[in-house]
Amino acid sequence: MKHAPKSCSACGRSITWRKKWAECWEEVRYCSAACRKQRLTAADLDLEKIILELLTRRAKESTICPSEAARAFFGEDDWRENMERTRRAARRLVEQGKIEILQKGSPVDPSFAKGPIRLRRK
């Protein structure tokens, strides 16, 4: 039986179907217990808006580093500890079809991207 692919509501990563979810697959929203505890907040949605705003200020094919969004949102003192939160926001925007995550100039699957990434409007 084929199961429709899903992405985590909190982090944007792909959720892999598990046999234990056979009866409740439609209700599964999070990839892990950690993501279930770390639900979306208004600040997370505002961070997504900042990413989109920064991208609209640039040429269509231009990219930004997620650290630019983190600096704009969290400030110069707190941006580093919020980089994973910023990457989660970017993954959610990829799932919504609004942006792409690039590595070495090519789009990558955000669930498996490791290391430096760039963000570009789709």
Side-chain angles (χ1 to χ4, degrees), residues 4 10-11 17 28 30 34 55 58 70 77 80 86 96 102 105 109 119 122:
C11 72
W17 184 85
V28 173
Y30 303 102
L55 286 168
R58 307 262 174 108
D77 295 333
R80 286 184 197 275
T86 306
Q96 295 169 24
L102 308 170
D109 183 343
L119 309 177
K122 204 156 187 184

Side-chain angles (χ1 to χ4, degrees), residues 22 30 32 89-90 101:
Y30 303 102
S32 66
I101 292 180

